[in-house]
Structure formats: structure tokens, C-alpha cells
Amino acid sequence: GEALAVSARVAPLGSRLVLLLVEDLTEARRIEAVRRDFVANVSHELKTPVGALSLLSEAVMDASDDPEAVQRFAGRMQIEATRLTNLVQELIDLSRVQNDDPLEDAEPVRVDELVAEAIDRCRHQAGTKQITMAAGGTADLHVWGNRGQLAAALGNLVENAVNYSPARTRVGIAARRVAAPGGELIELAVTDQGIGISDKDKERIFERFYRVDPARSRATGGTGLGLAIVKHVAASHGGEVTVWSSEGQGSTFTLRLPEAGAARDRTQQQARLD
Ligand code: ADP
């Protein structure tokens, strides 16, 4: 009788364990599939510029008696080489934000400095398109995190805003402090008057290598990794990134990050509890 009672108590536990095990295996299989897709994507993305470079170098050799053609082909080789360099750099950045714990060297980071840096990074591109960049509300705000990663995240958002906007439009960066259940958050909103993003695409743009229009992305030197990097940085800092967009009207990407003061208080509280 007792054995029966015990097994009746253990059986549900056993089936739950089996279920957990099955869920674990399914998750492991899913991760493996994602990894395989990623490697396939990287290979494809690397092959494209390398293939172009190989063809162009042949063209240069064949055109050795036509200096003008040589110039033209050499120019295109330079573009492909830049594309390759960008891709490798973004892959390094992505692997860094995925593997490093950003809070290991977290510090209070001035929002006005982050914003100035992001604007600086796009100044040339914005200038050629006569895009006006303006920032507001950044004074006296500090976020808590890894300076390099935060700069890369905001830089990517501003770069996209410039890249996916027509000439003579405006890109705005607005910062503010907002109250949240876990403490104060700093909200950084990057708004453009660009091409916008459909509802269907909104769900996928944060995936690695996903682009709405691969040709357009490539033309601007895009790799399809920028928003994946932003999403990782936001999550690992205990924040988030969201998008609002209206096709043909523009987009707003909002980065929410823990405020320096609030995050520090939490860490200290945690230390007391430990
Ligand atoms: P990419 O290197 O192609 O810019 P991202 O990961 O940064 O890669 O962005 C993924 C895709 O999301 C882009 O290819 C583009 O289609 C879309 N996108 C990103 N930012 C914007 C924006 N501000 N306006 C319109 N589309 C955007």
C-alpha cells in the first residue's frame, strides 16, 4: 500500500521530469538549427563580396591596356573590400556583445556624450544627404553600462535613421527619464522621416541578417547585423529596444536603459542581500 502511495506521488514528478527533458532537447535542437542558419548566412554574405573581388580582379587584368576601365574596376573593388571589412567588423562586434558580460565594466555613462558620439559617426553620411540631426533632453542624464557597447547600439540606430531616409529630412534624438517599476529608466528615442517599416517586417528586423530590402541595405554598406547588436546590448543591460513605424512616414526606435543612479542602488541592495 505504501509503495503504491509513494509511486503515485513520484509518478507525476517523473512525468514532469520527462517533459522537462523533452523540452530541453527541443530547445537544444532549435539552438542548433539557429546556429546552422547563422553559419550558412555568414558564408553566403562572405562569398558575395569575395566572388565580386575575384571577378573584378580578372576584369582588371583583361583591361590592362584600357586605363579608364582599370580605374573603374579598381573603384568597384574598393567598394567590395569596404563591404567585406564592415561585415567582419560587425561579426566581431556581434560576437563580443553576445559573449562578454557588459556589466563587468559597467559605469555611469553620460547620455550627452553617447549622443554626440553617435551624431559624429554619421555626420559625413548625413551631410551628403543634407539630413539635419538634432538632439534634445540629454543634459544631466546618465545610463548604467558598458560605454563601448552603448555607443555601438545608439550609433547603429542613428546610422540606420540616416541610411533609410531621403535627402533633406530630419533625424531627431530625444532623451528623457521615465519611471519604471524597477527604478528610473533612461529612454533614448531616435526618430526619422524615412521609408518606414511594415508591420510584417517589424517583427523580423532584429534578427541577424534580416533586411527588408537587401539591395538597398547593401548599397548603404549595411550588413543586416546592426539591429541584432542593438537588441543584444539592450537586453544584456537589462533594457529593451522597441520600434514604432509608419510606412512612408518614418520610424522611431526607442532604447530603454537603466539609469546610472538606479542601477547602482540595485547593485548595492543586491550586495547587502548577498
Ligand atoms: P542593415 O545593416 O541592413 O541596416 P540592420 O540590422 O541595422 O541592418 O537593420 C535591418 C533592416 O531593418 C534594414 O535592412 C532595413 O530594412 C530595416 N531598417 C532598420 N532601420 C530602419 C529605419 N530607421 N527605417 C527603415 N528601415 C529600417
Side-chain angles (χ1 to χ4, degrees):
E2 200 184 331
L4 210 73
V6 168
S7 75
R9 263 203 312 265
V10 170
L13 189 69
S15 63
R16 200 147 41 176
L17 278 179
V18 170
L19 199 67
L20 279 177
L21 209 64
V22 171
E23 273 172 7
D24 247 22
L25 277 174
T26 319
E27 175 64 4
R29 226 171 268 143
R30 194 190 62 80
I31 291 171
E32 174 57 20
V34 168
R35 194 195 59 80
R36 230 182 296 123
D37 280 358
F38 180 64
V39 172
N41 278 330
V42 171
S43 317
H44 174 78
E45 297 291 332
L46 287 170
K47 268 188 191 156
T48 311
V50 170
L53 278 171
S54 159
L55 288 174
L56 284 164
S57 68
E58 268 172 43
V60 166
M61 285 190 275
D62 291 344
S64 52
D65 50 356
D66 180 353
E68 226 170 82
V70 168
Q71 278 297 312
R72 208 169 53 240
F73 293 138
R76 281 172 53 192
M77 288 179 84
Q78 210 161 35
I79 292 171
E80 296 299 334
T82 305
R83 181 166 300 161
L84 209 49
T85 311
N86 284 348
L87 178 60
V88 171
Q89 187 55 54
E90 292 247 289
L91 282 169
I92 292 171
D93 287 350
L94 180 65
S95 116
R96 206 169 275 156
V97 303
Q98 283 179 332
N99 297 318
D100 295 358
D101 175 9
L103 301 183
E104 220 161 77
D105 16 57
E107 55 180 337
V109 181
R110 288 177 58 141
V111 169
D112 57 356
E113 284 178 8
L114 280 180
V115 169
E117 209 175 302
I119 289 179
D120 252 7
R121 191 168 130 177
C122 306
R123 200 175 291 286
H124 176 75
Q125 174 73 358
T128 56
K129 291 171 84 173
Q130 290 178 270
I131 287 176
T132 321
M133 292 193 284
T138 61
D140 298 326
L141 296 183
H142 295 76
V143 289
W144 178 250
N146 179 296
R147 174 183 297 271
Q149 290 198 9
L150 293 173
L154 187 65
N156 267 314
L157 291 182
V158 177
E159 203 164 53
N160 280 345
V162 171
N163 279 339
Y164 299 103
S165 290
R168 285 177 294 280
T169 54
R170 191 174 175 282
V171 169
I173 309 168
R176 62 180 188 138
R177 176 191 285 123
V178 292
E184 304 279 292
L185 288 179
I186 302 294
E187 204 175 83
L188 294 164
V190 181
T191 300
D192 64 56
Q193 302 170 322
I195 58 177
I197 304 155
S198 73
D199 284 340
K200 185 170 101 337
D201 289 318
K202 255 180 236 164
E203 293 170 17
R204 304 206 53 195
I205 50 173
F206 293 97
E207 292 172 21
R208 297 174 298 194
F209 291 120
Y210 186 81
R211 299 127 151 166
V212 176
D213 176 355
R216 183 181 183 126
S217 159
R218 241 175 254 128
T220 59
T223 60
L225 294 176
L227 288 179
I229 292 174
V230 177
K231 189 179 168 184
H232 259 283
V233 171
S236 64
H237 279 77
E240 61 169 1
V241 57
T242 55
V243 59
W244 174 92
S245 185
S246 167
E247 270 183 287
Q249 306 280 315
S251 311
T252 297
F253 283 82
T254 306
L255 197 53
R256 288 186 194 84
L257 297 162
E259 191 188 23
R264 247 199 331 253
D265 293 349
R266 267 204 299 281
T267 316
Q268 280 162 2
Q269 244 168 28
Q270 192 58 44
R272 272 201 299 278
L273 289 175
D274 295 344

